[in-house]
């Protein structure tokens, strides 16, 4: 597993405003999109490209374009939807799949899959899993293995914040045959007894879309 933590003053500034409990949902959504675009720049550094001959207004040349098959972005519902706009702004030609997972509250590292809108065959695809929080790590491992069962071998997770416990769990449980990377804006202090990240930013889904009972 390869972990990349962004170290940039713009990221720190935006993340501070994002964490503030007084930041309204409209600003929260915009900041999530902006942070994801900054993360996506790093996360897509190793995208596959092919050489393409073109002609500029001045001379012929050989440029680079993204290779086929197109990369696929997979938001983990529902909070991951808040990151989708930032990803598709940077990768407008990518396909988008959806994966619905929720934590089993009695077993925090176990997940319940309740929705799937993905191709049956992901062989040869570069996959980007997006979910704001890497807390216990259970969702990330389950989602990555879900993609791997469909042939994915190149998976990059993009999370805004992570807990050390979650990173450790992922390192210990991710299938080593997967080329797996994680990009985060920050690694926080710890998980509390409810498995929430401290200091964290609260429930990302609720702050994006409001509380649903």
């Amino acid at each position: 597993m390869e972990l990349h933590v962004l170290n940039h003053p713009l990221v720190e500034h935006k993340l501070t405003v994002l964490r503030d409990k007084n930041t309204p949902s409209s600003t929260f959504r915009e900041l999530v999109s902006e942070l994801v675009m900054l993360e996506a720049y790093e996360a897509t550094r190793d995208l596959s490209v092919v050489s393409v001959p073109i002609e500029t207004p001045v001379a012929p040349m050989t440029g680079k374009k993204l290779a086929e098959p197109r990369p696929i972005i997979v938001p983990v519902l529902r909070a991951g939807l808040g990151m989708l706009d930032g990803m598709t702004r940077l990768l407008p030609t990518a396909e988008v799949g959806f994966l619905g997972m929720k934590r089993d509250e009695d077993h925090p590292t176990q997940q319940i899959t309740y929705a799937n809108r993905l191709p049956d065959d992901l062989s040869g695809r570069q996959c980007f899993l997006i979910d704001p929080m890497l807390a216990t790590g259970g969702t990330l491992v389950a989602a990555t293995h879900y993609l791997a069962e469909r042939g994915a071998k190149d998976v990059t997770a993009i999370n805004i914040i992570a807990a050390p416990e979650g990173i450790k769990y992922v390192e210990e449980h991710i299938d080593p045959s997967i080329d797996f990377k994680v990009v985060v804006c920050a690694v926080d202090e710890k998980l509390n007894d409810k498995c929430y990240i401290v200091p964290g930013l609260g429930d990302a889904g609720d702050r994006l879309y409001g509380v649903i009972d």
Side-chain angles (χ1 to χ4, degrees), residues 23-213:
T23 296
S25 289
S26 57
T27 304
F28 191 93
R29 286 192 293 268
E30 183 59 35
L31 286 167
V32 166
S33 184
E34 292 172 3
L35 283 167
V36 171
M37 289 184 69
L38 293 169
E39 289 187 281
Y41 182 80
E42 288 297 330
T44 56
R45 188 174 293 277
D46 296 323
L47 277 176
S48 299
V49 295
V50 293
S51 298
V52 178
I54 63 167
E55 288 196 18
T56 77
V58 179
M61 65 162 286
T62 299
K64 302 287 185 183
K65 286 189 175 181
L66 295 183
E68 295 288 343
R70 288 182 290 168
I72 184 167
I73 302 165
V74 183
V76 178
L77 304 177
R78 73 178 162 130
L81 285 176
M83 302 172 69
L84 184 57
D85 180 63
M87 282 296 296
T88 53
R89 283 190 200 179
L90 202 69
L91 269 180
T93 61
E95 291 185 352
V96 178
F98 298 92
L99 186 57
M101 286 186 164
K102 62 181 181 179
R103 179 191 297 173
D104 184 336
E105 296 301 334
D106 295 326
H107 305 89
T109 59
Q110 297 181 23
Q111 310 302 313
I112 299 169
T113 302
Y114 63 88
N116 159 34
R117 188 67 176 174
L118 293 167
D120 291 332
D121 186 4
L122 292 171
S123 301
R125 304 289 291 271
Q126 290 177 288
C127 302
F128 295 91
L129 272 172
I130 54 176
D131 193 4
M133 320 290 278
L134 199 177
T136 65
T139 297
L140 184 51
V141 170
T144 302
H145 290 171
Y146 199 92
L147 300 183
E149 289 169 4
R150 286 152 181 76
K153 289 295 183 184
D154 186 337
V155 179
T156 299
I158 301 176
N159 309 105
I160 294 176
I161 59 173
E165 296 93 331
I167 292 171
K168 184 174 185 292
Y169 182 87
V170 174
E171 288 175 334
E172 292 175 349
H173 291 85
I174 205 75
D175 184 340
S177 69
I178 303 169
D179 182 3
F180 183 70
K181 307 175 191 69
V182 177
V183 179
V184 300
C185 292
V187 177
D188 278 14
E189 180 185 341
K190 63 179 181 179
L191 293 177
N192 65 15
D193 57 359
K194 294 182 179 179
C195 292
Y196 275 64
I197 300 175
V198 179
L201 47 79
D203 186 298
D206 288 349
R207 295 196 65 187
L208 282 162
Y209 304 118
V211 178
I212 296 178
D213 292 330

